[in-house]
Amino acid sequence: MNNVVLNTDVTKGTINKNIYGHFAEHLGRCIYEGIWVGEDSSIPNTNGIRNDVLQALKDIRIPLLRWPGGCFADEYHWRDGVGPREGRKHMINTHWGGVVENNHFGTHEFMMLCEMLECEPYICGNVGSGSVQEMSEWIEYMTFDGESPMANWRRENGRQEPWDLTYFGVGNENWGCGGNMRPEYYADLYRRFQTFVRNYGDNKIYRIAGGANVDDYNWTEVLMREAAPFMDGLSLHYYTIPGDFWKGKGSALDFEESEWFVTMKKALHMNELITRHSTIMDKYDPDKRIGMIIDEWGTWLDVEPGTNPGFLYQQNTIRDALVAAVHFHIFHDHANRVQMTNIAQTVNVLQAMVLTDNEKMLLTPTYHVFDMYKEHQGAQLLDVSVDSGTYEMEGDMLPQVNATASKNADGVIHLSLYNIDHQHPASVSIDIRGIAGGSLSIEGRMLTADEMNAHNTFENPERVKPEAYTDFTVENGQLTAQLPNMSIIQLTIHS
Ligand code: AHR
């Protein structure tokens, strides 16, 4: 039996809406085809941005988008991506497939996209192969309102008003593709570069330092020790890889029961990583001024057979959906430190929200989790305790179910539950406390599937999608819900 206690009158802070953030890199078919098709495309678009993807992202209330990388960020020179498109430089995207990057999607196009999505931009600057001057002039170009060489150039390129830019990352994966640096060296570089990331006028930039890879706790220790006063956020990257990064990550569609289990186990590992990195951050920043910014996470699987290995195109199943739910519950549990996360990546790359095939588009199971959980954005986290049964395989055990809940400004409660067990359903007893008298009105939605690798295809795009959920009873504040194997439930509770 699984028991949950939900204290509806005990709040634990705000769930930053940016926990539901996204990441779009110049990688494979994420930006080009996935988002940008150009104004002359036969694919319906608005100013070059494809309409179907735009609408899909609006529907999940995308709060924030990180761009242009990833590894790409540390070889991106922003000047190449402004001015008349036909005159923009072509370059080689050396990290991702060695393809030609024509720079047609640059600063103006990205900022326009964010305005269309009504989401905040999060730009990652180039430390690895760029200069302090280049970074500082990019900020001036985007955010300075007065007379200056960069602001004037922006106007010549068609944008009068500066843009609002809140989030800026000072390099990416500086321990790896961003320059293979030691933390001591990067900490000094960070201090130097961020000095010239200026606040012009009312634009106040939240500076994010490049953080650790997975469990590199020394990186966090050194960055916090040497540079904490100069940062607002420190990043962390962790991908869920069922196999081995170099020897074979595992197929997105063709996997065994044991791979399902290990995927869940590795997704749950995020909790330990956040806890241990947070403990180090607490030592230098006990008031939690500095946000933990998990600006890359999600499943990283083998590319679909026959596709370019440098394009990182993978299918997406109910397993990926459960991975997303597992992460959200962990992020909520650490909402006092985790201020932003960005799943990798929005379209056609890694654990994507949507997949496209020329003019066709489908929503992935992961998309549907973002849709179901969007109600938690900016809501008050409620106190929930979970006593879960076990999900066992070959002598190993994981907690089978979990729950998280929030209350929005109108007092509406959203309770999310999952059952990661690929085989066994779960009965969950939920003691709803703190609501005086009266009856509860509860509506439910569920995402589940009949096979571990159930997924959506262009031929059958709605195989995995949310359905109405009614398999619960309520009596005297006691809710009993039946969770099928491999399921995610969202309950909306009005009192
Ligand atoms: O998301 C794909 C890549 O993963 C990013 O470019 C890089 O930052 C990370 O290693």
Side-chain angles (χ1 to χ4, degrees):
M1 189 64 182
N2 304 282
N3 294 303
V4 171
V5 176
L6 165 58
N7 288 307
T8 63
D9 53 352
V10 181
T11 55
K12 300 176 82 181
T14 305
I15 300 170
N16 194 322
K17 68 181 188 335
N18 292 334
I19 281 180
Y20 290 86
H22 295 261
F23 168 37
E25 181 167 12
H26 288 238
L27 194 179
R29 295 183 298 116
C30 183
I31 294 290
Y32 298 107
E33 185 193 316
I35 293 174
W36 176 260
V37 289
E39 288 146 354
D40 300 331
S41 171
S42 58
I43 297 174
N45 69 85
T46 305
N47 303 332
I49 308 284
R50 59 187 295 166
N51 292 342
D52 50 2
V53 172
L54 192 66
Q55 191 56 50
L57 296 177
K58 279 175 121 163
D59 290 345
I60 53 172
R61 289 187 219 140
I62 172 174
L64 170 129
L65 187 60
R66 177 177 185 245
W67 172 86
C71 295
F72 183 80
D74 278 294
E75 60 180 339
Y76 181 63
H77 300 285
W78 68 270
R79 289 160 181 274
D80 299 345
V82 299
R85 270 184 220 116
E86 57 284 2
R88 294 187 193 172
K89 254 189 217 167
H90 289 197
M91 63 184 274
I92 311 166
N93 190 333
T94 50
H95 279 291
W96 306 119
V99 294
V100 174
E101 160 67 54
N102 64 16
N103 275 305
H104 280 194
F105 189 89
T107 304
H108 289 249
E109 290 78 13
F110 173 66
M111 289 304 208
M112 175 185 71
L113 170 65
C114 291
E115 286 178 345
M116 290 160 98
L117 289 169
E118 294 175 37
C119 80
E120 290 196 76
Y122 167 19
I123 289 188
C124 186
N126 180 346
V127 172
S129 70
S131 68
V132 173
Q133 181 179 359
E134 183 182 13
M135 186 178 285
S136 112
E137 289 183 342
W138 199 6
I139 302 293
E140 180 188 323
Y141 184 93
M142 291 186 281
T143 63
F144 186 58
D145 198 10
E147 279 280 316
S148 83
M150 292 303 117
N152 291 349
W153 193 24
R154 181 192 70 232
R155 291 188 194 100
E156 277 166 36
N157 289 332
R159 173 77 185 197
Q160 286 301 313
E161 301 300 316
W163 290 285
D164 292 331
L165 172 68
T166 312
Y167 299 100
F168 194 84
V170 180
N172 169 71
E173 296 197 351
N174 316 83
W175 40 262
C177 65
N180 287 305
M181 302 176 205
R182 295 174 307 113
E184 292 79 5
Y185 180 67
Y186 173 67
D188 279 347
L189 270 194
Y190 172 78
R191 291 169 60 128
R192 177 168 167 238
F193 272 70
Q194 69 78 37
T195 307
F196 303 94
V197 175
R198 305 278 188 205
N199 291 326
Y200 291 110
D202 295 335
N203 192 72
K204 169 95 180 66
I205 294 186
Y206 184 102
R207 293 168 178 74
I208 299 170
N213 183 29
V214 191
D215 57 358
D216 184 352
Y217 300 113
N218 181 53
W219 185 280
T220 299
E221 176 77 37
V222 174
L223 262 289
M224 290 300 294
R225 190 182 68 222
E226 304 299 340
F230 303 95
M231 64 174 84
D232 300 301
L234 178 62
S235 73
L236 169 66
H237 288 184
Y238 172 62
Y239 285 95
T240 299
I241 303 168
D244 179 274
F245 187 85
W246 300 111
K247 295 188 192 138
K249 300 173 189 76
S251 165
L253 295 180
D254 186 12
F255 56 85
E256 310 285 326
E257 293 181 342
S258 59
E259 284 175 273
W260 172 287
F261 184 89
V262 89
T263 304
M264 296 305 139
K265 185 174 178 171
K266 290 193 172 181
L268 284 161
H269 183 56
M270 181 60 101
N271 186 49
E272 179 183 327
L273 294 172
I274 297 177
T275 304
R276 294 185 62 181
H277 283 290
S278 290
T279 304
I280 298 167
M281 292 177 78
D282 285 349
K283 195 163 99 183
Y284 297 95
D285 177 37
D287 296 336
K288 301 193 193 300
R289 181 188 65 80
I290 300 172
M292 184 182 289
I293 307 295
I294 303 171
D295 51 18
E296 290 187 27
W297 66 271
T299 53
W300 193 327
L301 305 163
D302 293 339
V303 298
E304 284 307 299
T307 64
N308 186 329
F311 281 14
L312 310 188
Y313 176 75
Q314 65 191 43
Q315 249 294 0
N316 194 297
T317 65
I318 185 72
R319 178 176 64 155
D320 297 82
L322 262 308
V323 167
V326 164
H327 278 79
F328 290 144
H329 288 224
I330 294 170
F331 297 153
H332 287 189
D333 286 346
H334 293 275
N336 58 5
R337 178 64 87 179
V338 177
Q339 295 302 327
M340 184 207 295
T341 88
N342 308 80
I343 190 168
Q345 298 192 6
T346 320
V347 191
N348 291 332
V349 170
L350 300 177
Q351 191 176 349
M353 302 305 105
V354 300
L355 303 178
T356 65
D357 178 10
N358 291 308
E359 74 293 349
K360 294 185 222 151
M361 183 199 80
L362 64 79
L363 307 176
T364 65
T366 299
Y367 176 93
H368 293 305
V369 183
F370 274 79
D371 191 38
M372 291 165 77
Y373 280 58
K374 69 187 175 196
E375 303 302 341
H376 294 301
Q377 290 187 22
Q380 289 298 305
L381 181 67
L382 294 177
D383 182 62
V384 176
S385 63
V386 182
D387 180 13
S388 170
T390 55
Y391 170 34
E392 298 181 24
M393 187 169 290
E394 293 162 9
D396 209 351
M397 283 189 293
L398 299 174
Q400 183 186 8
V401 303
N402 195 261
T404 189
S406 68
K407 191 190 277 188
N408 71 16
D410 299 325
V412 179
I413 293 166
H414 291 98
L415 170 64
S416 303
L417 302 141
Y418 66 67
N419 174 10
I420 56 172
D421 192 318
H422 72 286
Q423 235 174 356
H424 301 105
S427 181
V428 185
S429 170
I430 303 147
D431 185 358
I432 303 180
R433 298 182 184 168
I435 297 177
S439 60
L440 299 172
S441 140
I442 304 180
E443 294 137 39
R445 283 172 93 197
M446 172 171 69
L447 189 71
T448 189
D450 51 0
E451 284 182 303
M452 287 191 302
N453 70 350
H455 60 283
N456 296 332
T457 62
F458 295 103
E459 293 69 43
N460 187 5
E462 300 206 343
R463 178 169 174 202
V464 186
K465 66 170 189 183
E467 55 195 85
Y469 173 73
T470 53
D471 200 3
F472 59 87
T473 56
V474 199
E475 211 174 317
N476 301 327
Q478 196 72 28
L479 173 66
T480 307
Q482 308 305 327
L483 274 55
N485 52 326
M486 308 186 287
S487 67
I488 299 157
I489 313 283
Q490 171 87 334
L491 298 175
T492 303
I493 306 173
H494 299 262
S495 54

